[in-house]
Amino acid sequence: MLAGEVIINEKAEAIIAKHKELLPALIVELNEISEFDHQALYEFCKNYAEKQNAKVKDYAQILRAAITGSNVSPSIFSAMEALGKEESIRRLKAI
């Protein structure tokens, strides 16, 4: 994945439209985490989802759509780790 503008496919657009309201609070929380590797991101998402009475997949789906522009990808947490914190958050804010 390269930094830059994300082209969003039709299925990802539908996911974003359905769950966009989840992003602002999620972005605030992501800004606060210090470790930005696969395991730390997974644990963050798991704990965050539990606090919201949701499942990891609910948040992974909107993260995947917003960050990769697709409804399918390799692990979203690996993708976020590869992109880094700054670029991942920039892509989320761009939605």
Side-chain angles (χ1 to χ4, degrees):
M1 275 180 238
L2 300 174
E5 187 175 334
V6 176
I7 298 169
I8 300 174
N9 74 28
E10 198 173 302
K11 288 183 180 179
E13 281 182 18
I15 292 166
I16 291 166
K18 185 176 179 183
H19 301 290
K20 189 174 183 175
E21 77 281 353
L22 300 176
L23 289 177
L26 188 57
I27 291 168
V28 169
E29 296 289 328
L30 275 170
N31 267 315
E32 299 300 318
I33 65 173
S34 57
E35 292 185 45
F36 212 79
D37 59 50
H38 179 278
Q39 189 61 38
L41 288 164
Y42 172 78
E43 290 298 325
F44 160 79
C45 196
K46 178 180 161 201
N47 293 333
Y48 186 82
E50 285 175 3
K51 284 192 250 176
Q52 306 302 319
N53 293 317
K55 296 180 180 178
V56 173
K57 70 176 187 164
D58 299 329
Y59 285 92
Q61 189 176 47
I62 185 64
L63 288 170
R64 178 177 293 106
I67 289 173
T68 70
S70 179
N71 57 306
V72 295
S73 73
S75 166
I76 187 55
F77 307 117
S78 294
M80 290 173 71
E81 178 180 10
L83 286 169
K85 184 175 184 177
E86 186 177 307
E87 178 62 15
S88 295
I89 291 173
R90 184 196 69 75
R91 289 183 182 201
L92 292 171
K93 287 180 175 179
I95 295 299

